[in-house]
Amino acid sequence: MAVCTMSYTHLPATHQPRLRRSNAAPASQQVVDNPQAETTTRKVTRWAESLSHHLHLHVEPPSSHAGGQNFTRDIWREYDEKLSSPVMSPKEDISQRWKEIQGFSDWEGLLEPLHPWLRREIVKYGEFTQATYDAFDFDSFSEYHGSWKYNKHKLFDKLGLTKHGYKTTKYIYAMSHIELPHWIERSHVADAWSRDSNWMGYVAVSDDEETRRIGRRDIVVAWRGTVVPCEWFENFQSKLEPIRKGESKVEHGFLSIYTSKSDSTRYNKSSASEQVMREVMRLVNFYKEKGEEVSLTITGHSLGGALAMLNAYEAGSTIPDLPITVISFGAPRVGNFAFKDELDKLGVKTLRIVTKQDWVPRMPGLVFNEALQVFDEITGTLEWVYTHVGTELKLDVCSSPYLKKGMNFSGIHNLETYLHLVDGYLSSKVPFRFEARRDVALVNKSSDMIVDELRIPHCWYQSANKGLVCDDHGRWVRPKREPDDVPSPTIEAHNHDLAVELQAYDVNVNGLLSCIKL
């Protein structure tokens, strides 16, 4: 796909909201009751302390008390006002400027300050990615550990995401042919749903109303990432291997997850790559045959951001003239300079949201990275050097008065922390915006990042009674899932084929009716 050379009028300048300058002092260290979580916390802290100097993160050490004098009455008043206001502002019609929002001009003039239209879209795609965590079965004692909790027809309804106007069309499963202990979840139960595969994401598409608002039919692919970032350093396989013929190379752990398959598995007889591309091409062809303009937006956090880049590379190489945008959060480097150059030639637009205290985006390639480009005249292009791709939006944990400051690297890397910072970001030169509407409590869903003064429990997002229910005999047991929430490759394939047939039937009927009217 050729790089678009058209120019677009920039979005209108926005009114600058009133600002209040206040900073929260460092908070007390996280207290973890669960022994396994406590072990993870110690590992995170240990790696944080050993790497912080090398990575030049300059994080503030936690103090003996949270908040203190710096957590002012103004912040309390602001937080109280947020509690009585909606969590979302009214949606804007961006149909005339969607190409600029999607990065056709590399987001020139939209990041400093961050335009509210772009902010809303970033948060929307971030919430699609967060859904891959919220609906994932993390219970290692569940027979469905590593799968989804809700089938694709329930997903957005269960997670409160119907407001975005998309519907899920397909789930994606992945496996790996190399050992990645904490990137592919394994169940402790003997009769687990799968010993090889994990639910890694889904494909969704905008409905008619959202399509009119955003100016095109938008296909979304959301990829799940990793949960415990300390494993990045401990288990990282920083080895580049060719992705196709030529000089493009990518990290082989990422590529293995994206392309691995086996006839002996139930869910990965086809790879994640084959699953997602079949569905994307089906949707693109279906809506283009109806005469619609179509875009592909791929999003992911952490490992999911890396898989999003591989997905974008394949889609750009396979489907001509398809606008492709990647919105990633806390994503690592994926490939070398040749990989970056090919993505640029394919016209793929990438917006990387990173936090300066998060060290996952600095990996792989802690030393050998794009910074060595200054030596190109001496060394030539180095095939084994990692580089980031696209445009960067850099956030700062210290900008938010609601977040603790310290070496909580798991909390810093958490996607909800990222979405909170995006919602409050105006520019690198001004404080956290008062008008940020997203619920601050969401940050602590699976972390301990909110200052203790707000009294939000840490890691509060969990099933009631941790998934146990009281049966008719008064015993606490693990409930059976409803039949349509049980992973089954046969049923899923049948339902998907049926949906495709109904979709095709709808097109034929509408076409026939049009001919009759003529």
Side-chain angles (χ1 to χ4, degrees):
M1 181 173 65
V3 179
C4 180
T5 57
M6 294 178 66
S7 61
Y8 296 89
T9 305
H10 287 310
L11 303 179
T14 57
H15 175 68
Q16 293 294 328
R18 60 193 179 95
L19 304 172
R20 299 186 182 185
R21 187 178 298 273
S22 180
N23 295 310
S28 57
Q29 293 190 13
Q30 178 176 357
V31 178
V32 183
D33 296 327
N34 184 287
Q36 184 177 0
E38 187 174 4
T39 300
T40 298
T41 302
R42 286 199 301 268
K43 290 170 69 177
V44 172
T45 303
R46 186 176 67 250
W47 285 118
E49 291 172 347
S50 65
L51 289 175
S52 60
H53 176 70
H54 179 70
L55 299 179
H56 306 292
L57 297 180
H58 304 296
V59 291
E60 299 176 24
S63 66
S64 59
H65 63 282
Q69 296 180 350
N70 287 335
F71 200 83
T72 66
R73 292 181 180 179
D74 283 344
I75 299 300
W76 270 114
R77 187 162 53 251
E78 290 177 2
Y79 182 66
D80 285 340
E81 290 179 22
K82 289 179 188 295
L83 295 178
S84 59
S85 64
V87 294
M88 288 185 65
S89 56
K91 289 184 177 181
E92 304 90 351
D93 185 337
I94 63 171
S95 58
Q96 301 302 310
R97 295 288 185 266
W98 74 265
K99 292 183 177 179
E100 194 173 354
I101 294 291
Q102 289 295 104
F104 275 45
S105 301
D106 295 316
W107 295 279
E108 182 180 353
L110 300 183
L111 300 177
E112 283 284 326
L114 180 60
H115 198 284
W117 295 3
L118 176 57
R119 180 189 294 110
R120 174 184 284 279
E121 296 304 292
I122 293 173
V123 170
K124 178 179 77 174
Y125 294 119
E127 290 185 344
F128 286 148
T129 302
Q130 182 63 41
T132 64
Y133 292 120
D134 293 344
F136 188 76
D137 191 338
F138 287 108
D139 184 357
S140 60
F141 293 102
S142 166
E143 61 185 299
Y144 304 116
H145 178 60
S147 73
W148 35 265
K149 295 179 182 177
Y150 321 111
N151 71 67
K152 66 181 184 230
H153 303 295
K154 294 181 180 178
L155 180 68
F156 288 166
D157 183 52
K158 287 285 187 179
L159 301 181
L161 296 179
T162 55
K163 61 188 178 184
H164 292 316
Y166 285 69
K167 61 180 179 180
T168 310
T169 66
K170 186 173 181 59
Y171 278 172
I172 307 164
Y173 301 91
M175 61 177 292
S176 176
H177 284 314
I178 63 176
E179 187 62 25
L180 298 170
H182 294 277
W183 293 2
I184 298 294
E185 301 282 337
R186 312 293 188 197
S187 175
H188 294 323
V189 181
D191 56 345
W193 72 288
S194 173
R195 286 292 175 191
D196 309 285
S197 305
N198 272 196
W199 178 55
M200 289 302 295
Y202 60 88
V203 182
V205 64
S206 58
D207 62 21
D208 292 343
E209 182 179 352
E210 180 70 0
T211 295
R212 286 190 292 271
R213 185 186 77 85
I214 61 179
R216 83 284 183 192
R217 186 72 65 171
D218 187 34
I219 301 168
V220 170
V221 181
W223 292 95
R224 182 178 63 81
T226 47
V227 182
V228 184
C230 67
E231 303 301 344
W232 278 90
F233 190 81
E234 211 161 358
N235 299 317
F236 205 91
Q237 307 284 338
S238 54
K239 175 185 175 183
L240 284 163
E241 66 176 66
I243 187 170
R244 288 185 179 177
K245 292 181 180 180
E247 297 180 350
S248 289
K249 296 180 179 180
V250 296
E251 203 282 320
H252 80 144
F254 303 151
L255 190 61
S256 177
I257 293 174
Y258 187 65
T259 60
S260 290
K261 62 180 179 178
S262 173
D263 287 336
S264 64
T265 64
R266 296 183 67 198
Y267 291 86
N268 276 114
K269 296 184 187 301
S270 59
S271 66
S273 162
E274 293 168 337
Q275 295 168 47
V276 69
M277 288 307 301
R278 276 199 300 266
E279 182 66 3
V280 168
M281 287 190 287
R282 180 186 75 82
L283 291 171
V284 168
N285 292 334
F286 174 76
Y287 287 109
K288 282 193 172 182
E289 285 177 3
K290 296 175 67 175
E292 297 188 25
E293 194 163 16
V294 183
S295 70
L296 174 62
T297 308
I298 312 174
T299 183
H301 166 251
S302 193
L303 166 66
L307 297 176
M309 293 307 305
L310 297 177
N311 190 183
Y313 177 86
E314 185 175 23
S317 304
T318 306
I319 309 175
D321 303 320
L322 177 65
I324 301 173
T325 301
V326 175
I327 308 290
S328 69
F329 303 84
R333 298 181 180 95
V334 177
N336 62 1
F337 281 99
F339 177 69
K340 174 185 180 299
D341 290 342
E342 284 201 42
L343 281 167
D344 290 341
K345 291 176 183 177
L346 291 170
V348 172
K349 299 300 181 180
T350 302
L351 181 60
R352 294 184 299 106
I353 294 89
V354 303
T355 299
K356 77 175 187 178
Q357 291 86 357
D358 186 2
W359 47 270
V360 170
R362 299 169 181 258
M363 304 180 70
L366 287 172
V367 178
F368 300 106
N369 54 54
E370 59 270 10
L372 295 179
Q373 192 172 17
V374 296
F375 301 109
D376 270 4
E377 293 183 2
I378 301 174
T379 63
T381 301
L382 301 174
E383 294 183 10
W384 43 268
V385 171
Y386 286 91
T387 182
H388 273 305
V389 178
T391 303
E392 180 181 271
L393 173 62
K394 182 171 284 189
L395 310 172
D396 186 353
V397 168
C398 296
S399 69
S400 172
Y402 306 105
L403 300 184
K404 295 178 179 179
K405 314 303 185 289
M407 292 183 180
N408 184 350
F409 276 63
S410 181
I412 290 169
H413 184 61
N414 193 283
L415 178 55
E416 286 289 1
T417 302
Y418 269 81
L419 296 181
H420 168 73
L421 292 172
V422 170
D423 192 38
Y425 183 85
L426 277 172
S427 81
S428 59
K429 299 179 176 62
V430 299
F432 199 84
R433 71 184 187 111
F434 169 73
E435 284 79 3
R437 289 177 175 265
R438 204 163 188 275
D439 192 351
V440 176
L442 292 172
V443 176
N444 266 15
K445 284 169 69 174
S446 57
S447 70
D448 183 17
M449 281 295 291
I450 300 176
V451 291
D452 293 339
E453 283 83 352
L454 295 187
R455 294 173 289 186
I456 306 297
H458 69 269
C459 300
W460 57 261
Y461 189 82
Q462 55 183 288
S463 301
N465 302 311
K466 295 192 175 179
L468 297 184
V469 297
C470 190
D471 67 11
D472 294 338
H473 302 289
R475 299 186 182 278
W476 288 93
V477 297
R478 192 181 305 278
K480 291 185 178 181
R481 286 193 182 185
E482 294 182 15
D484 58 353
D485 288 334
V486 174
S488 171
T490 304
I491 294 176
E492 288 175 40
H494 171 74
N495 290 341
H496 184 262
D497 291 343
L498 180 62
V500 171
E501 290 176 8
L502 290 173
Q503 204 173 49
Y505 175 78
D506 181 58
V507 171
N508 292 333
V509 169
N510 288 337
L512 180 61
L513 291 174
S514 298
C515 292
I516 293 174
K517 290 178 181 179
L518 291 175

